[in-house]
Amino acid sequence: MMKSESNTGLIVVYAFAGVVIAVSATKVLTGIIIFFFSSMVSVLYFKIPFKNFKKIVLMIPFGGFIALFQPFTKGEHVIISLSFIHIYAEGLDFGLLLLSRLVASFSFIVLVSSLHEHEILAAMRWLRLPTQFIFMLSLTVRYLKEFYTMLNVLKNSITCRGFSLKAKMPYKRKIRIVSYLMGSLVVSSIERGERTYEAMASRGYSVSSKIFMREFNINIRELSLTVLLISCVSLIRLLELL
Amino acid sequence: MHILEAKNIYFSYNNGLQILRGVNFKVKSGKIVAVIGPNGAGKTTLFKHFNGLLFPERGSVFVKGKKIRKENLMEIRREIGFLFQNPDDQIIAPTVFQDVAFGPLNFGFDENMIEHNVREALKLVGMEGYENKSPHNLSYGQKKRIAIAGILAYQPSIMILDEPFAGLDPEGVRDFKRLLLKLRKDLGLTVVFSSHDINALLGLVDRVHVMIDGQILLEGKTEEVLSNPSLEKAGLEMPVLFRIYHALIHKGVEIPFPADETEIVENLVRILNDEK
């Protein structure tokens, strides 16, 4: 049986992505309150590691400062005026919207990266994502690390022969050497791809092939979380329409 | 009847270079057979004909008496397990379990059977307990074992191994030899492999084929082929044991043909004691 954290995590991730789509500038404050309420419920009741949310908070300044300037930049209705500095209602709404989308996007990245790759794939299968998509993603997960290893091998080979980006040599030459490295990486990847396809074909690969994943059942906790989050996203959208 | 047979096969790649030039190759069921030869002799190309990764321009390949055709590829691949030289080319899934289960799933095994076969295969190669590990974190030798388990899990009759000893340390080679002998003994597998490690063939293989320039130059029982002086003409070297034997014969020492190191040492000790 799969660990339930992966399902929960993925549901939360989907819900956050839903929030990004659902929230718009008009009822942004209500949307954000609902979003943070549902996030807190997820954290406290479903025991999603709090460190994940700490990471999100740490990421907010990268882009958050853009949102911070929005209330001062545009709009017609001034809500606060401090001599020559005006805070506009429309700018405030837009800034909050931007911030909520940033938080939702960062949450997506942090929550996905905190899950094990195979758990994400298994949860995707449970969520009935297309088999081909999951298969392709599992190959990517497997070979991304190999690609990185290959890159390091090539990088070491040129470092051993005296190349460094900090070395004193014409800029053009540096660019040429880095492009050779990238070219070799592409060629090696293509060759590996061919060998991997042959190996897969030898083990009976066909269009309908998939990666083996054990079946698992959704539990009451996960079901209630799903219902809660979907309700929150729907509520945000409903408020938009009212 | 031969379980695997290639009849007069010819093959060229798209660049026009002819790699196989009339190869005839036969293997009996339950035998361990080695194909040796220098780089570029055509060993891997020949092996790729055994499971339909390549088709000959002329000639035919038969598995259990059935000619390999595009129409029966899945049936043929179910019978032939192919181990590639680099296990990283072969291990495609994010976890060991998922990778070993890839073959059985493709060949239509049911879920219970898959679970059972994967566990048995991992046990056979000594990798039980690694089911949820990422292949990326394993050593080269462990990856080779996982790649073998990925084949054993769908229970083929024949295993084709391309340079299985490449990249392994001496202990790894010894372990791998033991594993191949175990597979033959426990599962009755027929094994065909290529190798550059001539010394590793002793005590393991029943027959040896020597390949050069896309043709089979020599073929026969291990001792006969590996002690044949024409082996060196093909750019290969006799095993150390046989080189010592030939050197002793050349020096006029009457000594029976040795099966292993112990036998040649015992015979030399006996001769020395007799002379005393």
Side-chain angles (χ1 to χ4, degrees), chain A residues 118 121 135 142-143 145-146 149 192 195-196 198-199 201-205 209-214, chain B residues 48 51 53 74 77 84 86 88-93 95 97-99 102 105-106 115 119 136:
Chain A
H118 64 275
L121 297 171
F135 186 75
R142 164 75 182 104
Y143 282 104
K145 290 170 185 168
E146 289 301 320
T149 308
R192 166 157 285 178
R195 291 196 301 269
T196 300
E198 283 185 339
S202 299
R203 289 199 283 164
Y205 172 75
S209 285
K210 54 188 176 188
I211 292 285
F212 181 83
M213 278 158 201
R214 292 184 188 95
Chain B
K48 284 181 181 175
N51 76 340
L53 285 174
M74 284 300 259
R77 285 175 182 164
F84 285 73
N86 184 353
D88 279 322
D89 294 337
Q90 188 149 354
I91 301 174
I92 57 147
T95 68
F97 190 98
Q98 287 174 329
D99 189 78
F102 182 71
L105 194 64
N106 288 335
E115 290 265 1
R119 298 208 185 279
H136 188 72

Side-chain angles (χ1 to χ4, degrees), chain A residues 184-197, chain B residues 89:
Chain A
S184 304
L185 202 61
V186 169
V187 171
S188 314
S189 303
I190 292 169
E191 283 174 351
R192 166 157 285 178
E194 281 171 7
R195 291 196 301 269
T196 300
Y197 174 74
Chain B
D89 294 337

Side-chain angles (χ1 to χ4, degrees), chain A:
Chain A
M1 186 77 75
M2 284 291 305
K3 283 194 290 180
S4 63
E5 285 79 43
S6 55
N7 310 355
T8 319
L10 208 70
I11 292 165
V12 174
V13 163
Y14 274 96
F16 286 0
V19 169
V20 173
I21 300 159
V23 175
S24 78
T26 47
K27 302 277 183 187
V28 68
L29 208 57
T30 331
I32 286 170
I33 291 164
I34 295 169
F35 169 62
F36 278 107
F37 164 74
S38 58
S39 303
M40 285 305 111
V41 171
S42 311
V43 174
L44 299 171
Y45 185 69
F46 298 99
K47 292 173 186 165
I48 291 172
F50 194 75
K51 61 179 182 189
N52 290 341
F53 289 88
K54 222 165 77 182
K55 284 183 202 166
I56 297 167
V57 172
L58 288 173
M59 283 167 84
I60 288 173
F62 301 95
F65 73 95
I66 300 172
L68 198 72
F69 284 106
Q70 294 310 311
F72 309 104
T73 54
K74 64 174 193 178
E76 288 171 4
H77 303 98
V78 178
I79 48 172
I80 299 171
S81 191
L82 300 163
S83 73
F84 61 93
I85 301 171
H86 307 296
I87 296 177
Y88 301 98
E90 293 84 354
L92 186 67
D93 275 351
F94 184 69
L96 283 170
L97 175 71
L98 206 62
L99 189 69
S100 73
R101 288 189 173 176
L102 270 170
V103 172
S105 311
F106 291 153
S107 310
F108 191 94
I109 296 164
V110 169
L111 284 173
V112 166
S113 64
S114 70
L115 299 172
H116 287 289
E117 303 101 338
H118 64 275
E119 287 176 355
I120 297 173
L121 297 171
M124 280 178 167
R125 190 185 162 201
W126 174 76
L127 287 164
R128 300 292 180 266
L129 262 78
T131 313
Q132 292 303 314
F133 177 72
I134 299 171
F135 186 75
M136 209 168 66
L137 212 66
S138 68
L139 279 178
T140 311
V141 166
R142 164 75 182 104
Y143 282 104
L144 209 59
K145 290 170 185 168
E146 289 301 320
F147 189 78
Y148 182 69
T149 308
M150 216 191 308
L151 174 71
N152 273 336
V153 168
L154 289 170
K155 208 178 91 188
N156 288 342
S157 82
I158 57 171
T159 309
C160 291
R161 284 179 284 163
F163 177 79
S164 157
L165 281 174
K166 289 175 187 166
K168 281 184 182 174
M169 64 172 75
Y171 185 68
K172 262 188 174 176
R173 186 155 180 258
K174 280 183 189 172
I175 295 290
R176 200 184 309 134
I177 292 171
V178 171
S179 61
Y180 288 159
L181 184 90
M182 291 304 148
S184 304
L185 202 61
V186 169
V187 171
S188 314
S189 303
I190 292 169
E191 283 174 351
R192 166 157 285 178
E194 281 171 7
R195 291 196 301 269
T196 300
Y197 174 74
E198 283 185 339
M200 282 160 60
S202 299
R203 289 199 283 164
Y205 172 75
S206 68
V207 185
S208 57
S209 285
K210 54 188 176 188
I211 292 285
F212 181 83
M213 278 158 201
R214 292 184 188 95
E215 286 294 339
F216 55 85
N217 299 316
I218 185 164
N219 59 34
I220 294 292
R221 252 172 50 151
E222 289 164 345
L223 192 67
S224 52
L225 176 65
T226 311
V227 171
L228 173 79
L229 292 173
I230 290 173
S231 309
C232 287
V233 175
S234 311
L235 190 63
I236 294 169
R237 198 67 205 147
L238 198 68
L239 286 168
E240 289 290 320
L241 299 172
L242 288 174

Side-chain angles (χ1 to χ4, degrees), chain B residues 191-214:
Chain B
V191 180
V192 179
F193 71 92
S194 61
S195 180
H196 284 119
D197 189 347
I198 306 287
N199 289 301
L201 306 185
L202 296 173
L204 174 66
V205 299
D206 301 305
R207 293 185 81 80
V208 177
H209 292 70
V210 180
M211 215 174 159
I212 185 161
D213 292 334

